[in-house]
Amino acid sequence: MNSKALYNLSYGLYVISSKKGSRLNGQVANTVFQISSEPMTIAISLNKKNLTNEYVRESKSFVVSVLSQDAPLSLIGQFGFKSGRDTDKFNGVNYLLSQDGTPYLVDNTLAYIGARVISEIDALTHTVFIGEVMEAEVLKEGTPMTYAYYQQVKKGGVSQNAPTYIKSQAPEAVAAGKTGKFTCSVCGYTYDPEIGDPDNGVPAGTPFEKLSSDWVCPVCGAAKSEFKEI
């Protein structure tokens, strides 16, 4: 079986948030889709190991924040490569609360959709939650972040708990020799000198060797020493 066939499926990039009592949490997800229009329902897929899964099952509600294409990698790293068990993911993040008190992101967000869980499906390692949409608002106009754009243009990595994670997804070696690209061994982000790290003031054309010693992965915050050359 060629798992690369699944690369042809289309996805977006979102932050799914929920609550448990007074505690808030959220995570990056790429599986959100509309099920029906009357009544309006959507579905999300969350790994059973993730804290957000626990919060959604407890509160029976969730909010989807639709990320814009210009969302920084640091934001995706905050919600995609850190655990709510160890850190408050909403600390330092601009957010508001939906009608039922569930948080949604304000910055780098095109729209938010709040839903009440009406059904859940066991999908082995993941839970598919189906929710009836209770509120939805457009926050600003723009281009939504797609999963392909995140990987191919922003060179972002994929969490092992993501439904689209494939174990053999590490970049292939180039037979002709070195590429000048370096990959984070923690999250899979690829530093491409032709792109640089514009979110952190590193201009295009900057070789990896010229990055300052205190430069860190823009996604997960790993040290420069954690990178390996492709």
Side-chain angles (χ1 to χ4, degrees), residues 3-157:
S3 59
K4 289 185 177 180
L6 298 175
Y7 291 170
N8 292 290
L9 297 178
S10 299
Y11 304 90
L13 210 61
Y14 317 92
V15 168
I16 310 295
S17 52
S18 191
K19 62 178 182 174
K20 185 177 182 181
S22 61
R23 290 178 291 176
L24 308 176
N25 196 56
Q27 68 163 81
V28 169
N30 58 18
T31 307
V32 177
F33 53 95
Q34 185 173 349
I35 299 293
S36 61
S37 57
E38 293 184 10
M40 190 175 295
T41 58
I42 60 175
I44 61 174
S45 177
L46 302 178
N47 193 294
K48 292 179 180 178
K49 295 180 180 179
N50 291 355
L51 188 62
T52 306
N53 185 304
E54 176 185 324
Y55 280 23
V56 172
R57 300 191 76 178
E58 177 82 13
S59 67
K60 299 299 181 185
S61 67
F62 61 87
V63 171
V64 177
S65 297
V66 182
L67 297 181
S68 61
Q69 187 170 274
D70 57 2
L73 288 173
S74 57
L75 178 67
I76 299 171
Q78 174 84 355
F79 286 92
F81 290 91
K82 295 182 180 180
S83 172
R85 296 182 175 89
D86 305 321
T87 184
D88 178 4
K89 293 188 180 183
F90 284 92
N91 183 35
V93 175
N94 190 14
Y95 70 92
L96 293 174
L97 299 177
S98 66
Q99 295 173 7
D100 70 353
T102 303
Y104 62 90
L105 303 185
V106 175
D107 298 332
N108 308 116
T109 302
L110 301 181
Y112 78 90
I113 305 166
R116 173 181 61 86
V117 175
I118 57 175
S119 179
E120 61 180 79
I121 302 170
D122 188 316
L124 301 179
T125 57
H126 287 65
T127 305
V128 176
F129 294 100
I130 299 176
E132 180 179 2
V133 175
M134 307 305 292
E135 59 181 294
E137 294 292 342
V138 175
L139 302 182
K140 68 175 183 178
E141 298 298 323
T143 303
M145 176 90 75
T146 65
Y147 194 54
Y149 186 89
Y150 167 68
Q151 287 192 301
Q152 297 170 13
V153 179
K154 286 187 169 286
K155 305 298 182 182

Side-chain angles (χ1 to χ4, degrees), residues 146-183:
T146 65
Y147 194 54
Y149 186 89
Y150 167 68
Q151 287 192 301
Q152 297 170 13
V153 179
K154 286 187 169 286
K155 305 298 182 182
V158 183
S159 168
Q160 292 187 16
N161 287 344
T164 53
Y165 175 78
I166 296 177
K167 195 171 184 179
S168 61
Q169 68 176 353
E172 298 177 358
V174 178
K178 297 180 179 180
T179 65
K181 301 177 183 179
F182 285 73
T183 300

